[in-house]
Amino acid sequence: GFLEDGILVQDVSRTRQRYLGSWTFTWDVMAVLPTELLCLLPGVPRVPGVPAARANRCLRVPRLFEAFDRCETRTGWPNVFRVAKLMLYLLLGIHWHGCLYFALSAHLGLGADPWVCPRFTRLLRRYLHSFYFSTLVLATVGDTPAPQREEEFLFVTAGFLLAVLGFATITGNISTVIINLSAADAAFYPDAGPVRRYLRARGVGGRLAGRVVRWHQHLRAQRKLPAEREVLQHLPRGLQAEVAASVHLAALRRVGLFRRWEHGVLRQLVLRLRPQVFGPGEFVCQRGDVGREMYFIREGHLAVVAEDGVTQLAVLGEGLYFGEISLINIKGNMAGNRRTANILSIGYSDLFCLGKEDLAEVLAEFPCARAAMEAKGRELLLRMGRLNTGAEAAAMAAEAEAERRLRGLEVALEGLQTRAARLLAQLEASALRMALRVQHLEGRLR
């Protein structure tokens, strides 16, 4: 097949027509011509499989490179494929060099001096000696017999020059593979080096630096990807939602708040969530802090601890959420937008973080979710003694009064609109009558 506007066309007739009209068809025909039959002509050495007679096979090299490029772009292990391709080139180069060495030895005379190929009886032994000699030359290992003739000096010098070029190419390819591996890791995982250098420059003890290193090691070992937004930022929003939903939707459905929500809504909500990983003994939030996010527990366990930071009051597990009290407006909340509890990560905890603005958008679209979250928040505030029932009743009464006044204003506005519409109709009728009278008077004057 072939690509047309990015779509793979696999129609046989169209593929045939496109192939026959391309330059590739001409080159392929020339590459498969039976040029070995030229050896049957008079005056040509009658040796089966003469390499010069098959030189047209080299016209397939562009197709080979095209196949390599396609495999490299489609395989899931491109760096391994590049290394394998490099080794193939290396072996092929040694093979060709060995063939040239044997041809030169046959021209100078097998066994004529210590440098040329000895006169072995077995063909395999001759090939292995030639391959071994070329490996020593191209690897610049040395330990080869000293050349005796001008042709031998030129051949060895050319081999050393090719070896220098080959080593430069191999080094460049291997370094490219290493750089690509490092770049792939940097695209997903943060680098611990800058943080460690910063702590070292500030004279901070090794304990904190060790926690930073262990946090980075946990990310790589457990394949946690905190930089998902940066990775997906260039995709269209719909495709971002598809990718994020395929990765996180199963975990999101384990959260009790989202179990009854529609699939399409969860696909849009998953774009607003930010993955965060907290290490052992790390506070996710502390009492009195200004609340700007709420959290959903994807994996791990967190403890609600007392003021001493040790006593555990409760343990939160997978599927639970917290932090919504400081983000939603619960009437009578004496804490305001401050955190009401200390949440400590027991081990490594994988959480979803939802910002205040994103939460407001979600709750505006789903009043039932808002009511459920407010009910849970009110229950927690009552349990902690941070809910002023008098203020709550006053706020509810004020809200009811405001609602009553709003309805009164709406009724008054509707009445004013009705009167305005009536006056406008009367004005239009008066204008019409005035126009008819003017028209009648103009007719009488004529």
Side-chain angles (χ1 to χ4, degrees):
F2 62 94
L3 293 178
E4 186 177 63
D5 297 331
I7 304 299
L8 180 62
V9 178
Q10 294 181 314
D11 183 70
V12 177
S13 59
R14 294 183 60 186
T15 304
R16 182 190 304 114
Q17 182 180 1
R18 179 184 176 88
Y19 173 64
L20 294 177
S22 64
W23 62 269
T24 309
F25 172 72
T26 305
W27 283 64
D28 290 345
V29 170
M30 294 174 61
V32 299
L33 289 176
T35 52
E36 294 89 344
L37 299 178
L38 296 176
C39 297
L40 301 178
L41 297 177
V44 178
R46 299 180 180 275
V47 179
V50 175
R54 300 197 305 271
N56 61 320
R57 301 296 191 272
C58 295
L59 297 176
R60 298 285 292 179
V61 170
R63 301 283 281 176
L64 179 65
F65 289 157
E66 180 184 359
F68 281 166
D69 292 338
R70 292 192 179 188
C71 290
E72 185 174 338
T73 55
R74 286 165 174 78
T75 181
W77 305 90
N79 294 315
V80 176
F81 182 82
R82 290 169 190 165
V83 173
K85 183 175 65 174
L86 183 62
M87 296 301 298
L88 175 64
Y89 288 161
L90 183 62
L91 294 175
L92 187 60
I94 295 175
H95 167 76
W96 283 348
H97 190 269
C99 293
L100 293 176
Y101 165 73
F102 181 78
L104 180 60
S105 298
H107 174 71
L108 298 177
L110 297 178
D113 57 54
W115 187 87
V116 297
C117 182
R119 190 182 295 275
F120 295 116
T121 56
R122 296 180 60 193
L123 182 62
L124 177 61
R125 187 66 180 270
R126 294 179 180 182
Y127 174 75
L128 291 177
H129 177 84
S130 301
F131 193 89
Y132 173 74
F133 182 88
S134 297
T135 303
L136 294 179
V137 172
L138 295 182
T140 65
V141 175
D143 196 21
T144 58
Q148 305 293 329
R149 311 179 193 182
E150 291 82 358
E151 297 90 340
E152 298 172 359
F153 277 105
L154 292 175
F155 186 83
V156 172
T157 303
F160 284 147
L161 294 177
L162 288 175
V164 172
L165 178 61
F167 270 112
T169 304
I170 293 173
T171 304
N173 281 272
I174 295 299
S175 62
T176 302
V177 170
I178 295 175
I179 291 173
N180 290 337
L181 289 174
S182 302
D185 285 344
F188 295 107
Y189 305 105
D191 185 13
V195 181
R196 295 175 63 184
R197 289 192 294 269
Y198 170 77
L199 294 176
R200 192 181 304 115
R202 295 295 181 180
V204 179
R207 183 177 180 182
L208 183 58
R211 289 179 57 189
V212 173
V213 172
R214 287 192 296 271
W215 183 80
H216 285 86
Q217 290 175 350
H218 173 77
L219 291 183
R220 292 177 182 272
Q222 300 297 324
R223 303 183 65 84
K224 306 296 184 182
L225 309 178
E228 291 185 358
R229 286 195 172 187
E230 290 76 8
V231 176
L232 304 178
Q233 62 181 347
H234 300 294
L235 295 178
R237 186 170 180 83
L239 190 55
Q240 286 185 28
E242 290 288 345
V243 174
S246 64
V247 175
H248 296 305
L249 197 58
L252 201 61
R253 287 192 180 278
R254 293 198 294 267
V255 179
L257 181 65
F258 303 139
R259 286 175 183 170
R260 297 183 180 180
W261 289 19
E262 300 177 1
H263 177 77
V265 179
L266 293 180
R267 287 178 59 252
Q268 296 300 321
L269 176 67
V270 78
L271 290 176
R272 298 183 171 97
L273 299 175
R274 300 192 306 274
Q276 289 189 359
V277 179
F278 292 88
E282 185 176 356
F283 280 97
V284 180
C285 60
Q286 291 181 285
R287 181 178 297 179
D289 293 345
V290 177
R292 296 183 177 88
E293 303 94 5
M294 68 173 299
Y295 299 92
F296 304 92
I297 305 176
R298 181 184 180 186
E299 294 178 2
H301 294 84
L302 299 99
V304 182
V305 298
E307 294 296 333
D308 57 4
V310 178
T311 306
Q312 295 186 5
L313 304 178
V315 176
L316 306 178
E318 177 183 320
L320 299 180
Y321 59 95
F322 60 92
E324 78 283 359
I325 297 178
S326 57
L327 300 187
I328 59 179
N329 184 21
I330 299 179
K331 302 175 182 63
N333 182 8
M334 295 186 293
N337 62 343
R338 302 283 179 175
R339 299 293 189 188
T340 59
N342 301 314
I343 307 297
L344 181 71
S345 178
I346 299 176
Y348 283 99
S349 303
D350 190 3
L351 310 179
F352 284 129
C353 175
L354 183 63
K356 185 174 183 178
E357 294 77 10
D358 296 328
L359 177 64
E361 293 180 7
V362 173
L363 296 182
E365 297 175 0
F366 299 94
C368 295
R370 171 183 285 276
M373 294 181 69
E374 288 182 352
K376 180 191 174 184
R378 186 177 183 279
E379 180 183 352
L380 291 176
L381 290 174
L382 276 173
R383 191 182 307 165
M384 293 183 295
R386 291 180 173 271
L387 183 64
N388 189 341
T389 55
E392 180 185 16
M396 294 181 64
E399 184 178 354
E401 179 64 19
E403 185 69 22
R404 186 186 63 79
R405 291 184 178 182
L406 181 61
R407 286 197 297 268
L409 290 175
E410 289 177 352
V411 172
L413 181 60
E414 290 178 359
L416 291 175
Q417 289 177 346
T418 303
R419 293 182 60 186
R422 188 182 298 114
L423 291 174
L424 182 61
Q426 293 177 357
L427 180 62
E428 291 178 353
S430 299
L432 179 60
R433 288 195 298 270
M434 182 65 68
L436 291 175
R437 291 185 60 187
V438 171
Q439 184 179 4
H440 178 68
L441 292 175
E442 287 178 350
R444 291 182 61 186
L445 289 177
R446 292 175 184 167

